[in-house]
Amino acid sequence: MSASAALLALALVAPRPVALWHSYRSEEAQALQSLADRFNASQDRYRLELLSIPFDAMSAKISAAIPRGHGPDLFVFAHERVGSWAPSGLLAPVAVDAARFLPGTAEAFRWEGRQLGAPLAFKTLALFFNRRLVASAPKTTDELLALGGRFADPAQGRFLLAYQSGDFYYHAAWLFGFGGSLFAPEEGGSGPRRDEAEGRAGSEGRLELDTPGAEASLAFVAKLQAEGFVPQEATSALVTELFSQGKAPFAINGPWFVGELPKDLDYGVAPLPVVSATGRPARPFLTVEGLYLSAHALEPEGAREALAFLVSDDSALLRAKVARQLVANRAAYDDPSVAKDPVLQAFRAAAALAIPMDASPRMQLVWEPGQSALRAALRGESPKVALAGADRQLRALQRPPPPRAAPWATLALVLCLAGAGLFFARRRPGTAEGGSRTAYAFVLPAALATVALVLLPILFSLGLAFFHHRADGGYDFVGLGNFADILASRGYAIIEPPSFYFTLAVTLLWTGANLVLHVGLGVALALLLHAPWLRLRGLFRVLLVVPWAVPNYLTALIWKGMFHRQYGAINGILRRLGFPAVSWFSHFATSFGADVATNVWLGFPFMMVVTLGALSTIPQELHDAATLDGATAWQRFRHVTWPLLRPALLPAVILGSVWTFNMFNIVWLVSGGEPGGTTDILISEAYRWAFARQAQYGYAAAYAAIIFVLLAAYSVGAQKLLARRESA
Amino acid sequence: MSRPSAVRHALGHAAVVAATGAALYPVLWVIKMALSPGQAFDPSPSPWPRVVSLQNFRDLWGLGGTGHLWRELGNSLIVAVATALVGLLSSATAAFAFSRLRFRGRQASLAFFLATQMFPGIMMAIPLYILLDDLRLLDSLTGLVLVYSTTSVPFCVWSLKGYLDTLPRELDEAARIDGATSWQIFWKVILPLARPALAVTALFAFLSAWNEYILAATFLGDARKYTLPVALQSYVGEYHTEWGHFAAGAIVVSIPVMLVFFALQKHLVAGLTAGGVKG
Amino acid sequence: MAEVELKGIRKELGGNAILRGIDLAVADGELLVLVGPSGCGKTTLLRLVAGLEELSGGEIWIGGRRVDALPPAERDVAMVFQSYALYPHMTVRENMAFGLTLKKLPRVEIDRRVEETAALLELGALLDRRPRQLSGGQRQRVAMGRAIVRRPQVFLFDEPLSNLDAALRHQVRLELGKLHRQLGSTMIYVTHDQVEAMTLADRMALLRAGELMQAGPPLELYEQPRNRFVGGFLGAPPMSFLAATARVDGAGGGRCRAEGRGFSLELPGSFELHDGREIWLGVRPEDLALAPVAPEGRLLRGSVDAVEILGWEAHVELRVGDGTVTARAEAARLGALRPGAPLSLEVRTEGLRIFERSAEGGGAEPALAAAGKGARAHVG
Ligand SMILES: Nc1ncnc2c1ncn2[C@@H]1O[C@H](COP(=O)(O)OP(=O)(O)OP(=O)(O)O)[C@@H](O)[C@H]1O
Ligand SMILES: [Mg+2]
């Protein structure tokens, strides 16, 4: 009795949990944790519980969990998603005193008049300079370029300025500095708009890349690269390397750069220089990280309290001190210790010039065309042509929603098809010799699980293909509209990269090339590893599965690094052999080859292991017999081993080709579709539509459905082949 | 041993060594990053670390105050081993039925298993989330095991069936005449002979669970349930990735895989069915 | 009581008729030897009896019970496979004990039976080996042992001795015969070895392309082949055939002659053929003798095609007209007989068999009448 009473009392006084999800790492995570500890110590009604979630998974998890009531009460994310999440009703309004924060940071979370988040910190770009090489940062681009002769010597791996010149996020600073814009009326450049004369003036907030300012900015960076002032194909790793090794006196980077630089490096930070051609400062994007309150929070009161605590000036100060975070609170910068920090102060100054990133979903459409225009210009294409292409792509990506359709027509069609399917299935002569209860019992566990956990989700996704996902999160039934758009290649020429047919051709090539190499290499190695005379067989076997064992996220990026034009190991080997270095990602063939090489490396161990398993069925006598028949090693393989391997290998080959067809992350990580989206495969298109282009889930699902049908047709053929083998 | 075969053996060894070199070369960077102090993704062409430090591993082990490596390793092992077992058991029975029994819907179910592999997996995270939620299996390792093993079942079924088809049919006929039931034939005759295929399939199922993080990160809402890849992927931030920790973690993740494979590879032996039937 | 009765057995595989209506009865405790050329359906028939295949038509009865819907395990049969089908992962002992273990017999009983059977088949020293460590003949004995140890009602043997050496085959054959008498179980035994067939069989059945040609005691098949195929199948060397035309001498009181190219033989009186009937003349080697001189109606003249010397005896192929006959002779008496040399043989015409000769016979033309050795004529 008393025990339960005590328990009850405990339950009454036990603090109620408030869940907070974040993707912070190291110092930032530590700062957040110590704030949570403080909050929990400061009161006893709520207990703030932190959950760290990988950044990759965060956005999908939020979208899935919150509507189902499993979401957090609070979560940390950048402000750009407000425009996607708010219409879906995931966010609840919070009270924020905008005056306490740096200009633009609190406003970033306003959506349709409601404050849907509170700012924690911001990210933007600034100019880092190495004090050992230069005394101060140049104020203008002319000043900067004047130093070029002194520092740049690409042959020696020395540059003037290290930054990711091929990344549109970085380039946007120049774009705005040269008077370019993304949205036609608001950020209108100087000088008359060309397209106004053509009668297609931008309507309210229309996306437009092809502006004179953009053209000038592309010409500028193309020149930077042509003169050897900036490294080619710069990755963030390369930028870090060059700047910290003193091989580039300047770098453009964000606050995270500080954590990547050696502690003993003597460097300064300044806002980006003024573009001499226009007299305007280069203006980077401003992204604000903030706390969101879930609309389905279980503890909204506690969450509000915790939120207020976490964005308070005191908390901000702790975050600024412990994690050197660029906090959004004005007051933090007046604190003596923060005032002393030149990095924080420089970024604060940079933030004043920065342009808050548009939070509406349409912003997501900018990256792809922007990026491809930038890369094209860096490959030496004329900026004008590149931008015209980008605008064409932009318009295609802003696909108008297909007309709404009456569900009945489509439903009737689907029913007819299903009926026809059933009819033919019925009419086929029964292969079975009567049902066997045992057989069903054997198949049941696998079939049941697969139906529940694979088929249902598939049907769910396939269903989406008949809908259009509106920007406000709703769905319109559009019948076969999505399919029609894809198959009619609406918006693109058929032979252009993003068109379905072009991508399909690339995908087939990709699948075929990988398959041949996987099987060839896998079987060859398995045969060697199977040979009785091989020494250290066990060791080799284990070492050869290493590529399969190491997480491929990391190894794919290492391969990308190995294909780097200047620093990659592959070009290093080529150079040593006397060949010229290859710019791998500038041409379709080489870029595609890099993807294939990476995927073959990742995939051959699987085929090898499967072959090793299959080889164990082949009796030695057969080899002996063939040897006596005078067969050479090749003939023995061709006429004895291979035919016997085939049945056991065929399933792996069929499934392997299906997986390769859908193997999107390698293409994504290695070539990223370069050049100009040509190396993208169908599944990357689907992925882009779903996750990078305004969340067109319906369209993406239609892509997936088409992929499904294509592969199903393929497998029917493959199965016929198998069945023929079986009966033979 | 005659001369030509000696030459051939030397060539064979050379080829295996070369292939192993090529297979391991990119991994040198992983080791380099893991052993270098700091968190940089070192793009330099040399695969050797400039300075060797075990700091990244120490951090990983929680000595740096961040990780719960043992717990995550344990969760991963539980999930991967359970996935391999569940996947293997359910698919072995199915593969046996497909290979040995004739029943209505056999071809159709085989095609169905294959078809499930054709739908791009990335499109399935959200529906799966809803499903697991309805099954009350979110936030649980059981749910993960269920998802992983079902997604690996189609391959397991097909690959095992392909292997079982090569086992002589007389063996199960002999057992049937000896009075064995289908289950006894499966358990006592076929399964012991399918060891190589079981090993391959087990490795596959194990790996499909072992390296997966996107679904795990989406489904798990409790840090105590996190698997190793989820923890590892947390080192990859939006702007900044702790490559040193990530690489060290990648090595820690890979070692059990190699141990598992080492243990399994002794089943990949030739001649398991030798002597069973004539010819 | 375990007689096996097959009624109108039909089997189709992949659209081919493999067995086309077999009616056959094997009495309880009888050993039926099934013979026939390769591919005629012997194995298929055994598999049907065992229950490994489903019938396309007909009925199977074992011990008065209709079994064709029963699974193999409930038919109480054991089968020795042509390809052994030993369990590769089990030792010889485990292989033999498998069926008994499944029946949940007591351990000691299993051990006893296995040891006994192993001793019978001289497998005692091999009990702990695995199949791959055995020679072909040893494997075959294990396969036999696995069947014997179970003591089923019906044994099905599919060429169980084909891999044994002559001596061992002889010995196991004798043992098998003994075993058969001891166990008194019904056995169906497939073999290609005629000696085996003749010595073991209580009755013999000859299949050809899925059809039963003849069934009966071995000697009956040998001596009264129901058709040309049966005659030509049995015997080593087998019966030879010469195309001929029947001639009835009206003057000679109804005596029959068979005339063909290069010969004219007198037929024994028991044949009643009308003049001009096209016939095949079947001649067994043992009814031919080397004879420089013989009555005209019993003489075959021709030229030597080939001579095979097998030790004491030799086989001589003689070309007569456009046919050949094979004769048996003492090797020593042949001297230096070269191919091409002329040779005469005396025919014991009482042994001649006569078959219908027609275009559609396809090798299995029915016997017209039988003669000699006290046989009654019966027409096929
Ligand atoms: N699965 C099958 N599909 C089609 N035809 C088959 C199949 N199995 C066997 N046959 C055919 O059936 C016929 C009978 O085969 P069976 O194995 O019974 O012959 P057999 O008399 O045992 O021959 P042997 O003496 O060579 O062992 C053969 O012509 C064979 O080609
Ligand atoms: Mg046979």
Side-chain angles (χ1 to χ4, degrees):
Chain A
M1 275 299 134
S2 69
S4 64
L7 262 177
L8 195 67
L10 210 71
L12 282 176
V13 298
R16 301 226 288 273
V18 172
L20 185 154
W21 291 359
H22 68 95
S23 302
Y24 280 138
R25 294 301 310 167
S26 45
E27 287 90 357
E28 285 189 308
Q30 279 162 31
L32 193 62
Q33 185 60 56
S34 56
L35 284 176
D37 294 344
R38 280 192 197 188
F39 175 74
N40 294 340
S42 72
Q43 43 77 45
D44 52 12
R45 276 159 305 141
Y46 304 107
R47 193 179 63 254
L48 187 57
E49 290 176 350
L50 305 185
L51 181 68
S52 157
I53 288 171
F55 175 76
D56 287 21
M58 183 67 132
S59 150
K61 183 162 173 135
I62 291 285
S63 309
I66 290 188
R68 309 280 303 176
H70 298 292
D73 299 289
L74 294 168
F75 61 98
V76 179
F77 208 86
H79 78 276
E80 305 125 60
R81 279 307 195 106
V82 173
S84 318
W85 284 332
S88 324
L90 299 187
L91 306 177
V94 294
V96 169
D97 175 13
R100 270 176 42 223
F101 300 98
L102 294 177
T105 56
E107 292 80 354
F109 295 92
R110 288 194 76 78
W111 186 257
E112 292 177 345
R114 296 193 305 164
Q115 183 74 32
L116 292 174
L120 285 169
F122 65 88
K123 306 266 196 273
T124 190
L125 297 175
L127 187 67
F128 287 71
F129 59 97
N130 189 328
R131 284 194 200 277
R132 238 178 287 154
L133 300 173
V134 287
S136 64
K139 291 279 174 293
T140 67
T141 51
D142 282 351
E143 270 178 52
L144 176 70
L145 297 189
L147 294 168
R150 218 176 96 199
F151 292 105
D153 184 0
Q156 294 301 311
R158 298 186 170 280
F159 300 94
L160 173 66
L161 171 66
Y163 83 106
Q164 295 180 54
S165 53
D167 188 327
F168 191 71
Y169 175 77
Y170 290 82
H171 181 76
W174 299 128
L175 176 84
F176 296 130
F178 276 92
S181 64
L182 300 175
F183 299 100
E186 286 138 30
E187 293 287 330
S190 56
R193 302 288 314 254
R194 278 173 317 107
D195 41 1
E196 264 164 15
E198 291 161 28
R200 37 182 195 92
S203 57
E204 164 67 20
R206 220 186 81 154
L207 283 167
E208 185 82 72
L209 286 170
D210 190 2
T211 61
E215 199 182 321
S217 72
L218 285 187
F220 174 73
V221 295
K223 194 173 134 237
L224 281 183
Q225 180 173 298
E227 305 216 344
F229 288 173
V230 297
Q232 295 180 17
E233 299 176 15
T235 56
S236 94
L238 181 62
V239 172
T240 314
E241 168 92 359
L242 290 174
F243 187 72
S244 47
Q245 300 288 313
K247 290 180 174 160
F250 300 106
I252 296 178
N253 222 328
W256 54 87
F257 197 41
V258 173
E260 295 170 20
L261 295 174
K263 300 274 174 294
D264 52 353
L265 190 70
D266 184 15
Y267 63 89
V269 184
L272 298 183
V274 168
V275 174
S276 308
T278 59
R280 293 155 170 258
R283 299 179 69 184
F285 277 126
L286 178 76
T287 13
V288 189
E289 242 162 35
L291 265 173
Y292 294 89
L293 173 63
S294 159
H296 299 265
L298 296 175
E299 282 301 337
E301 280 322 304
R304 287 209 164 81
E305 217 168 287
L307 180 136
F309 178 84
L310 292 173
V311 301
S312 70
D313 291 347
D314 286 347
S315 300
L317 190 60
L318 183 134
R319 284 186 278 121
K321 281 191 197 157
V322 172
R324 261 182 131 182
Q325 210 178 31
L326 298 176
V327 296
N329 305 53
R330 286 168 192 270
Y333 293 87
D334 302 333
D335 180 88
S337 65
V338 174
K340 274 208 313 271
D341 190 327
V343 174
L344 295 188
Q345 295 297 343
F347 269 105
R348 185 200 171 174
L353 293 171
I355 294 182
M357 200 177 285
D358 191 285
S360 61
R362 66 189 172 163
M363 181 65 205
Q364 293 173 13
L365 292 177
V366 170
W367 302 108
E368 226 183 310
Q371 191 99 332
S372 60
L374 175 60
R375 299 265 167 108
L378 289 176
R379 279 198 303 272
E381 247 178 61
S382 116
K384 190 137 190 52
V385 176
L387 283 169
D391 249 4
R392 208 149 22 94
Q393 196 181 353
L394 188 58
R395 274 192 296 280
L397 293 186
Q398 276 174 304
R399 60 183 280 274
R404 281 174 173 235
W408 305 120
T410 316
L411 204 63
L413 184 69
V414 168
L415 281 179
C416 280
L417 283 176
L422 270 180
F423 180 69
F424 279 107
R426 268 289 170 78
R427 274 209 351 175
R428 266 217 316 241
T431 44
E433 292 149 23
S436 150
R437 209 170 286 170
T438 339
Y440 293 128
F442 273 101
V443 179
L444 202 66
L448 219 64
T450 314
V451 166
L453 287 164
V454 185
L455 188 65
L456 285 182
I458 288 180
L459 291 180
F460 180 93
S461 303
L462 283 182
L464 279 186
F466 300 102
F467 291 86
H468 174 74
H469 184 235
R470 286 195 311 265
D472 65 4
Y475 285 92
D476 288 332
F477 185 81
V478 294
L480 297 173
N482 289 326
F483 293 97
D485 279 7
I486 292 173
L487 295 177
S489 187
R490 198 163 120 196
Y492 329 94
I494 280 180
I495 47 157
E496 262 181 347
S499 101
F500 170 74
Y501 300 96
F502 183 91
T503 318
L504 176 63
V506 174
T507 313
L508 292 178
L509 194 63
W510 158 256
T511 312
N514 273 302
L515 201 60
V516 168
L517 290 170
H518 276 155
V519 175
L521 211 59
V523 170
L525 283 171
L527 287 174
L528 282 172
L529 289 180
H530 191 68
W533 43 260
L534 190 81
R535 310 249 166 98
L536 298 176
R537 208 152 20 140
L539 178 71
F540 282 122
R541 281 182 177 179
V542 171
L543 288 181
L544 280 168
V545 293
V546 166
W548 193 10
V550 184
N552 64 18
Y553 178 81
L554 182 59
T555 43
L557 287 175
I558 286 171
W559 271 91
K560 185 183 172 68
M562 297 205 322
F563 282 112
H564 190 273
R565 186 171 187 303
Q566 187 163 8
Y567 297 97
I570 309 251
N571 276 353
I573 293 169
L574 284 182
R575 266 195 298 266
R576 213 164 299 157
L577 295 176
F579 293 102
V582 177
S583 185
W584 290 93
F585 300 111
S586 300
H587 314 284
F588 170 76
T590 49
S591 180
F592 184 77
D595 285 345
V596 171
T598 309
N599 198 42
V600 167
W601 182 84
L602 285 166
F604 83 85
F606 168 71
M607 275 297 167
M608 188 186 84
V609 170
V610 170
T611 312
L612 274 174
L615 275 175
S616 56
T617 54
I618 300 179
Q620 182 60 36
E621 288 107 49
L622 284 180
H623 282 273
D624 299 346
T627 314
L628 290 180
D629 287 344
T632 61
W634 166 250
Q635 287 169 327
R636 279 205 304 272
F637 172 73
R638 179 70 194 75
H639 298 292
V640 180
T641 315
W642 179 243
L644 290 169
L645 268 185
R646 219 164 26 189
L649 223 49
L650 215 53
V653 169
I654 293 174
L655 281 163
S657 53
V658 168
W659 294 330
T660 309
F661 199 94
N662 284 339
M663 178 61 69
F664 111 109
N665 52 344
I666 301 308
V667 175
W668 193 260
L669 290 174
V670 178
S671 76
E674 284 296 297
T678 46
T679 50
D680 267 338
I681 59 176
L682 282 178
I683 184 68
S684 10
E685 272 313 298
Y687 183 85
R688 284 187 203 278
W689 282 109
F691 301 109
R693 295 170 184 160
Q694 276 192 311
Q696 299 247 1
Y697 296 128
Y699 202 55
Y703 254 100
I706 291 176
I707 290 174
F708 182 79
V709 169
L710 285 174
L711 287 175
Y714 163 80
S715 77
V716 166
Q719 231 202 336
K720 286 253 164 70
L721 202 73
L722 264 183
R724 194 151 7 110
R725 287 271 138 63
E726 206 170 70
S727 63
Chain B
M1 201 189 277
S2 60
R3 290 293 301 153
S5 74
V7 171
R8 187 173 297 158
H9 295 179
L11 282 177
H13 280 99
V16 171
V17 169
T20 312
L24 294 184
Y25 189 59
V27 178
L28 291 179
W29 272 272
V30 180
I31 299 170
K32 176 191 185 186
M33 280 187 237
L35 289 181
S36 302
Q39 301 305 322
F41 186 101
D42 191 338
S44 66
S46 151
W48 310 116
R50 276 169 247 178
V51 191
V52 173
S53 138
L54 289 177
Q55 189 56 43
N56 285 321
F57 287 97
R58 245 175 259 140
D59 290 352
L60 210 61
W61 238 261
L63 296 181
T66 45
H68 303 276
L69 195 77
W70 285 119
R71 190 176 68 199
E72 284 143 6
L73 199 64
N75 286 342
S76 270
L77 272 177
I78 291 171
V79 169
V81 169
T83 300
L85 286 180
V86 172
L88 216 55
L89 258 178
S90 58
S91 55
T93 55
F96 173 76
F98 285 128
S99 171
R100 290 308 206 257
L101 308 171
R102 294 287 170 271
F103 53 96
R104 200 176 293 280
R106 174 174 168 277
Q107 287 295 331
S109 340
L110 262 176
F112 161 71
F113 277 114
L114 187 59
T116 59
Q117 297 293 289
M118 291 165 194
F119 199 81
I122 43 170
M123 308 292 295
M124 290 182 27
I126 304 273
L128 268 178
Y129 185 96
I130 296 173
L131 230 120
L132 281 190
D133 183 20
D134 289 343
L135 295 174
R136 301 272 170 273
L137 286 174
L138 275 179
D139 266 349
S140 77
L141 297 184
T142 318
L144 272 191
V145 169
L146 221 59
V147 169
Y148 290 158
S149 48
T150 43
T151 43
S152 66
V153 153
F155 170 78
C156 297
V157 167
W158 271 72
S159 133
L160 277 174
K161 175 192 173 284
Y163 187 92
L164 296 191
D165 283 348
T166 67
L167 294 180
R169 223 153 263 265
E170 283 95 337
L171 292 182
D172 26 322
E173 290 173 343
R176 262 164 75 193
I177 293 181
D178 272 346
T181 60
S182 287
W183 174 256
Q184 284 167 326
I185 294 173
F186 166 71
W187 191 247
K188 297 196 167 158
V189 177
I190 297 298
L191 218 51
L193 293 176
R195 257 161 59 203
L198 289 174
V200 171
T201 321
L203 180 70
F204 174 83
F206 181 90
L207 259 169
S208 68
W210 184 254
N211 275 345
E212 203 286 333
Y213 76 89
I214 265 287
L215 293 180
T218 309
F219 300 153
L220 297 177
D222 178 351
R224 282 166 306 180
K225 304 268 172 60
Y226 273 8
T227 55
L228 199 47
V230 176
L232 199 54
Q233 203 65 26
S234 300
Y235 288 121
V236 179
E238 184 178 10
Y239 300 95
H240 169 57
T241 298
E242 297 170 34
W243 289 112
H245 290 148
F246 193 85
I251 291 173
V252 172
V253 166
S254 324
I255 286 171
V257 176
M258 288 186 272
L259 290 180
V260 165
F261 182 67
F262 189 77
L264 288 177
Q265 64 112 16
K266 67 167 185 284
H267 297 287
L268 300 179
V269 285
L272 215 56
T273 55
V277 296
K278 190 154 66 179
Chain C
M1 287 300 285
E3 71 282 351
V4 178
E5 244 183 303
L6 310 180
K7 297 183 184 168
I9 300 291
R10 282 188 301 104
K11 178 66 184 170
E12 277 160 33
L13 273 176
N16 303 327
I18 310 282
L19 294 174
R20 319 157 183 242
I22 308 274
D23 288 294
L24 190 61
V26 190
D28 181 32
E30 186 175 67
L31 195 155
L32 178 92
V33 170
L34 202 57
V35 289
S38 183
C40 68
K42 304 182 295 289
T43 300
T44 311
L45 191 64
L46 287 196
R47 291 169 58 81
L48 284 168
V49 175
L52 296 173
E53 305 270 354
E54 276 180 49
L55 285 172
S56 308
E59 295 171 10
I60 301 176
W61 295 69
I62 296 179
R65 206 161 49 120
R66 184 167 173 184
V67 297
D68 42 61
L70 295 182
E74 290 170 36
R75 298 188 186 193
D76 198 16
V77 296
M79 179 161 172
V80 176
F81 286 78
Q82 195 167 2
S83 60
Y84 328 138
L86 301 181
Y87 309 122
H89 58 297
M90 297 183 196
T91 61
V92 170
R93 184 190 301 276
E94 287 164 344
N95 259 287
M96 288 169 63
F98 187 64
L100 303 180
T101 323
L102 292 178
K103 269 199 220 150
K104 301 225 163 67
L105 253 58
R107 195 72 249 170
V108 275
E109 168 71 4
I110 294 179
D111 285 345
R112 195 180 57 75
R113 281 215 222 168
V114 169
E115 304 279 345
E116 254 178 46
T117 315
L120 180 71
L121 295 165
E122 293 183 15
L123 288 171
L126 308 176
L127 278 177
D128 292 317
R129 293 212 201 158
R130 279 174 210 263
R132 66 169 161 278
Q133 300 161 316
L134 301 178
S135 75
Q138 290 165 338
R139 287 175 198 174
Q140 205 154 40
R141 275 183 283 153
V142 176
M144 295 244 315
R146 191 174 61 183
I148 292 170
V149 83
R150 283 191 34 218
R151 304 209 188 131
Q153 288 192 31
V154 178
F155 279 105
L156 305 169
F157 292 109
D158 200 350
E159 304 187 28
L161 305 185
S162 59
N163 271 32
L164 306 189
D165 64 48
L168 194 59
R169 182 183 302 204
H170 179 73
Q171 186 196 332
V172 179
R173 195 172 68 215
L174 290 179
E175 293 292 352
L176 207 69
K178 228 192 286 171
L179 190 83
H180 173 225
R181 284 188 296 277
Q182 239 174 51
L183 299 177
S185 29
T186 312
M187 295 184 175
I188 303 182
Y189 190 104
V190 171
T191 181
H192 280 286
D193 183 326
Q194 299 214 358
V195 181
E196 226 167 275
M198 289 292 176
T199 51
L200 281 175
D202 294 329
R203 283 202 323 141
M204 191 148 122
L206 175 57
L207 287 187
R208 175 195 189 235
E211 280 177 277
L212 182 65
M213 296 282 104
Q214 190 172 351
L219 273 182
E220 185 181 310
L221 263 73
Y222 187 81
E223 294 182 343
Q224 295 154 33
R226 197 179 288 177
N227 59 38
R228 189 157 84 93
F229 179 80
V230 179
F233 189 82
L234 295 178
M239 187 180 267
S240 319
F241 297 98
L242 291 169
T245 310
R247 292 283 169 233
V248 182
D249 302 343
R255 280 194 78 81
C256 250
R257 301 170 58 77
E259 278 184 15
R261 288 186 54 181
F263 65 90
S264 170
L265 295 174
E266 255 174 49
L267 295 178
S270 51
F271 289 105
E272 288 167 17
L273 299 166
H274 62 80
D275 191 47
R277 180 116 191 218
E278 307 271 271
I279 56 170
W280 283 109
L281 215 49
V283 194
R284 289 238 181 250
E286 57 267 32
D287 292 332
L288 292 170
L290 290 182
V293 281
E296 191 52 28
R298 298 169 80 94
L299 194 67
L300 276 178
R301 262 193 220 96
S303 61
V304 174
D305 239 8
V307 179
E308 284 181 318
I309 297 180
L310 310 169
W312 181 85
E313 75 168 30
H315 299 162
V316 180
E317 286 204 14
L318 188 72
R319 175 156 285 278
V320 180
D322 49 6
T324 47
V325 292
T326 310
R328 224 187 212 146
E330 197 179 325
R333 289 184 54 201
L334 285 175
L337 205 54
R338 301 241 167 276
L343 189 72
S344 313
L345 296 172
E346 179 178 354
V347 183
R348 202 172 65 84
T349 50
E350 296 72 26
L352 285 178
R353 302 291 177 274
I354 292 175
F355 305 93
E356 212 173 86
R357 185 154 67 92
S358 60
E360 66 269 17
E365 296 88 343
L368 284 178
K373 289 178 188 168
R376 280 140 295 279
H378 56 251
V379 179

